[in-house]
Amino acid sequence: MPEMEQYQVPWTAMSDGTAKDYQMLSAQYEDHARASLRQSLLATLARLSGPKLGYQIDREQHSRQSATRALRNGEPAEMVVAALFHDIGDVLAPHNHSAVAADIMAPFVSAETEWVIRHHGLFQGYYYFHHFGGDREERRRYEASPFYERCVWFCAEYDQNCFDPAYDSLAVDDFIPLIDEVLARPSRLGQEWELNPSNPPGEVG
Ligand SMILES: [Fe+2]
Ligand SMILES: [Fe+2]
């Protein structure tokens, strides 16, 4: 999508901006943000291709297997898309990947799906923490959460079992309609500047 410069402010300091300026800026920024996010999500997913890191498939294949299993289980679009992108945080935050993916998806998915993605790394520990002398039941400290069982389910059905090279996963293109549907939703969290007034539109706080 070509970048369209629809509006330019006449000032060089934000203190001179009017309400109309900021309405125009925010609308323009929102269009850009959605297109940019879609592109970044797909590019970041592609960056998970390559090293298998000791497993039998790479992390891009793992992600598509996760999303394909979710789709074939009849999960809603947002869970399929969340499954596809649940490990994208690996690229920039390998030691904190769950939280990064959750924050990226949060505006477009339910609180439940956000919670599942945010905690999937810890919940996955059930399958291996004890092999390092840790407590595989560590996730139980979240047992009171209404989303606990959903996260247990996610890990059991769409994560720990998604390392099978023989599984018939769909291609990324097959998920595009679902990705577009989810990214077209109004932000559940409101605008960035509503959440954190110290961050004006389009500016990194
Ligand atoms: Fe993960
Ligand atoms: Fe994963």
Side-chain angles (χ1 to χ4, degrees):
M1 183 184 297
E3 193 69 30
M4 287 173 48
E5 290 297 336
Q6 300 150 322
Y7 182 76
Q8 190 174 63
V9 296
W11 37 258
T12 58
M14 292 186 71
S15 57
D16 295 327
T18 64
K20 176 175 174 282
D21 288 331
Y22 285 111
Q23 282 167 10
M24 299 296 285
L25 286 171
S26 64
Q28 201 161 296
Y29 179 70
E30 184 64 14
D31 288 347
H32 168 82
R34 300 256 176 173
S36 173
L37 175 60
R38 181 183 189 276
Q39 192 177 36
S40 297
L41 284 168
L42 293 171
T44 307
L45 180 63
R47 284 200 57 197
L48 295 179
S49 296
K52 295 177 182 172
L53 304 173
Y55 294 91
Q56 297 185 42
I57 59 176
D58 67 28
R59 291 169 297 170
E60 192 267 356
Q61 294 170 304
H62 165 72
S63 300
R64 286 189 292 107
Q65 189 171 146
S66 174
T68 304
R69 289 185 190 274
L71 184 69
R72 289 176 179 161
N73 258 354
E75 294 287 356
E78 67 169 59
M79 179 53 78
V80 175
V81 172
L84 185 64
F85 295 127
H86 77 278
D87 278 337
I88 57 166
D90 262 2
V91 173
L92 277 177
H95 301 100
N96 193 28
H97 80 287
S98 302
V100 169
D103 278 334
I104 291 169
M105 298 304 299
F108 310 102
V109 300
S110 64
E112 177 183 75
T113 298
E114 178 195 348
W115 199 97
V116 166
I117 300 307
R118 187 173 303 283
H119 294 87
H120 86 267
L122 175 67
F123 277 51
Q124 279 285 94
Y126 176 80
Y127 298 99
Y128 68 91
F129 281 174
H130 51 297
H131 296 306
F132 290 99
D135 178 8
R136 68 184 307 188
E137 301 288 354
E138 199 174 326
R139 65 191 189 182
R140 283 192 180 275
R141 62 186 156 99
Y142 290 103
E143 223 167 8
S145 168
F147 308 136
Y148 178 86
E149 290 299 337
R150 187 67 163 142
C151 196
V152 168
W153 169 264
F154 177 90
C155 290
E157 301 295 326
Y158 309 136
D159 207 358
Q160 66 85 22
N161 58 334
C162 294
F163 297 91
D164 182 355
Y167 188 80
D168 173 27
S169 295
L170 295 171
V172 172
D173 282 351
D174 295 321
F175 297 105
I176 295 292
L178 293 179
I179 295 168
D180 287 343
E181 178 191 326
V182 170
L183 293 185
R185 294 177 179 181
S187 170
R188 177 173 65 85
L189 303 179
Q191 305 289 3
E192 184 185 11
W193 54 96
E194 292 171 17
L195 290 176
N196 181 358
S198 68
N199 292 344
E203 184 159 302
V204 178

